């Protein structure tokens, strides 16, 4: 078995894992999970100390998506009876930012279903972002799908700090998950936002029948894309989707995946995201040894853990919330 602590020390010094070392992390014996977590934590602590970043999502437009992503209840092929609605009004988007402040979230994530935003939708969202930026000291992340030329620049001008567009899975496995757009379409949008000087956020969904080699390739791809934030989601298979009934994960494997992402992307914000409650279960607190960020509140179409439980979890762990500068609106 690898000496994980020695490997972690090397990573802090700039060492990049081999494929064999990456596979050894994913294949770590269950009874060695604590040494692995401790080693991943030493990397996390080196770059982030004991602080945890909080993020909150608002789903501004739900369902009726033209894409056929197999994991998504909002997909055109999904028969899941989710709530569907068109773009919410500007006042509701701004009100959500107030809620994010109350929950001590440093980042407010504005999400909308669909292949990508129309001009009208983008104008609507950027108008809301400008008002939020005038009122609250929040970091704004937008997640609106595939961008057209010029749209990233419009978001930047409005004050958007970060743009999320997940690669979701490996390049080799992508066609098994969706065929309505390509892996390269996603990479292109990530590169567009980087060119517009917006911080790139891109992550994955684990548990979609991928191999361990696919997981390794995901971690490496996000390193090559120089993403500033990596949300690691664990599949919460929804009824009526292509992946309905898929149940490949267990809490210990999820922890090993998070450790791999920390070892591969040592300086990156790694966020335990959707599906943590149903897949990590009672081991959720251990996920914050490799990761340094979580979502609080609900996700897009699934409920999250009650925020008070998250705050209690952080307190019990001895971690600090990475607070925004002030909890009060800016007048």
């Amino acid at each position: 078995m690898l000496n994980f602590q020695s490997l972690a020390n090397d990573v802090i010094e700039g060492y990049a894992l081999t494929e064999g070392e990456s596979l050894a992390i994913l294949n770590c014996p269950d009874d060695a999970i604590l040494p692995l977590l401790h080693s991943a934590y030493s990397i996390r602590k080196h770059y982030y100390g004991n602080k945890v970043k909080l993020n909150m999502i608002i789903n501004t437009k739900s369902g009726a998506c033209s894409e056929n992503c197999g994991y998504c209840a909002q997909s055109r092929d999904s028969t899941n009876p989710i709530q569907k609605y068109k773009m919410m009004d500007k006042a509701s988007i701004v009100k959500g930012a107030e809620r994010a402040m109350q929950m001590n979230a440093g980042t407010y994530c504005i999400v909308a279903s669909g292949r990508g935003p129309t001009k009208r939708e983008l104008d609507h969202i950027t108008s809301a972002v400008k008002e939020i930026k005038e009122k609250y000291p929040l970091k704004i992340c937008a997640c609106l799908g595939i961008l057209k030329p010029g749209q990233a620049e419009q978001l930047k001008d409005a004050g958007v700090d970060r743009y999320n567009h997940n690669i979701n899975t490996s390049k080799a496995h992508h066609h098994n998950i969706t065929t309505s757009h390509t892996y390269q379409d996603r990479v292109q949008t990530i590169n567009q936002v980087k060119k517009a000087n917006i911080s790139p956020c891109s992550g994955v969904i684990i548990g979609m029948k991928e191999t361990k080699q696919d997981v390794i390739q995901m971690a490496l791809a996000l390193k090559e894309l120089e993403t500033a934030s990596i949300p690691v989601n664990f599949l919460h298979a929804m009824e009526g989707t292509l992946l309905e009934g898929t149940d490949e994960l267990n809490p210990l494997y999820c922890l090993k995946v998070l450790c791999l992402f920390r070892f591969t992307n040592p300086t990156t914000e790694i966020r335990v995201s959707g599906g943590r409650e149903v897949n990590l279960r009672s081991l959720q607190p251990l996920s914050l040894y490799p990761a340094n960020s979580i979502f609080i509140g609900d996700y897009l179409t699934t409920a999250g853990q009650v925020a008070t439980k998250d705050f209690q979890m952080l307190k019990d762990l001895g971690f600090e919330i990475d607070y925004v500068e002030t909890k009060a609106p800016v007048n």
Side-chain angles (χ1 to χ4, degrees):
M1 190 175 70
L2 282 178
N3 183 325
F4 294 126
Q5 188 57 61
S6 177
L7 187 61
N9 294 340
D10 290 342
V11 166
I12 291 171
E13 294 298 320
Y15 177 74
L17 270 62
T18 66
E19 183 173 345
E21 289 164 338
S22 298
L23 194 57
I25 289 174
L26 293 180
N27 287 330
C28 170
D30 290 349
D31 60 4
I33 192 67
L34 291 179
L36 175 60
L37 285 168
H38 178 75
S39 302
Y41 173 67
S42 67
I43 302 172
R44 177 240 204 270
K45 187 176 181 182
H46 179 80
Y47 292 104
Y48 292 100
N50 276 330
K51 291 193 174 182
V52 177
K53 296 178 182 293
L54 302 183
N55 305 261
M56 194 193 91
I57 286 179
I58 184 169
N59 194 13
T60 61
K61 177 187 172 189
S62 179
C65 182
S66 63
E67 305 302 286
N68 67 349
C69 303
Y71 54 84
C72 187
Q74 302 184 83
S75 161
R76 73 188 188 200
D77 294 336
S78 171
T79 59
N80 188 283
I82 61 166
Q83 184 180 9
K84 299 179 181 180
Y85 50 85
K86 296 181 179 180
M87 183 68 67
M88 64 174 53
D89 60 83
K90 178 180 173 181
S92 296
I93 298 174
V94 175
K95 184 71 174 177
E98 180 181 347
R99 174 65 174 155
M101 288 291 297
Q102 292 169 349
M103 296 177 72
N104 296 314
T107 301
Y108 179 51
C109 307
I110 299 173
V111 184
S113 68
R115 180 180 177 87
T118 65
K119 182 182 184 305
R120 182 177 181 180
E121 288 171 341
L122 197 67
D123 289 345
H124 182 73
I125 288 171
T126 52
S127 177
V129 169
K130 289 176 183 176
E131 184 172 335
I132 292 167
K133 282 291 189 175
E134 290 174 356
K135 291 184 173 182
Y136 307 107
L138 286 167
K139 179 180 289 185
I140 301 296
C141 177
C143 179
L144 311 172
I146 297 170
L147 296 177
K148 301 180 184 70
Q151 290 187 323
E153 289 75 13
Q154 183 177 346
L155 289 166
K156 175 66 175 179
D157 290 343
V160 169
D161 303 284
R162 175 174 286 173
Y163 194 86
N164 168 259
H165 197 54
N166 294 334
I167 59 168
N168 285 328
T169 192
S170 71
K171 184 177 181 180
H173 191 52
H174 185 270
H175 70 282
N176 295 317
I177 303 303
T178 181
T179 56
S180 55
H181 60 269
T182 67
Y183 179 87
Q184 190 55 40
D185 287 333
R186 290 185 170 271
V187 170
Q188 183 176 338
T189 287
I190 297 165
N191 286 328
Q192 278 180 262
V193 300
K194 287 168 62 178
K195 189 175 180 180
N197 292 317
I198 296 175
S199 177
C201 172
S202 185
V204 299
I205 305 172
I206 303 296
M208 299 195 296
K209 303 182 180 181
E210 72 279 349
T211 66
K212 289 177 181 176
Q213 284 73 23
D214 285 319
V215 177
I216 293 168
Q217 290 306 310
M218 293 179 220
L220 288 172
L222 293 171
K223 180 178 182 179
E224 291 172 7
L225 285 168
E226 299 179 320
T227 50
S229 177
I230 299 176
V232 179
N233 300 276
F234 298 102
L235 181 68
H236 182 180
M238 303 290 287
E239 292 183 10
T241 65
L242 177 67
L243 291 169
E244 177 183 353
T246 304
D247 184 17
E248 301 184 335
L249 302 176
N250 63 68
L252 290 174
Y253 180 68
C254 294
L255 292 174
K256 294 168 194 178
V257 168
L258 289 169
C259 288
L260 172 66
F261 274 80
R262 175 54 69 204
F263 271 85
T264 307
N265 297 273
T267 65
T268 304
E269 175 187 340
I270 295 177
R271 186 176 319 121
V272 193
S273 300
R276 67 176 165 99
E277 297 85 357
V278 297
N279 288 292
L280 283 157
R281 299 191 286 278
S282 62
L283 298 191
Q284 281 188 72
L286 294 179
S287 69
L288 286 171
Y289 285 93
N292 66 298
S293 178
I294 60 172
F295 279 113
I296 54 172
D298 295 335
Y299 302 102
L300 297 179
T301 58
T302 57
Q305 182 165 279
V306 177
T308 52
K309 289 187 177 181
D310 284 331
F311 295 140
Q312 187 64 55
M313 177 175 69
L314 297 181
K315 182 179 179 181
D316 291 346
L317 286 165
F319 288 152
E320 303 173 52
I321 296 173
D322 195 353
Y323 288 103
V324 293
E325 291 124 9
T326 177
K327 298 179 183 178
V330 177
N331 295 321

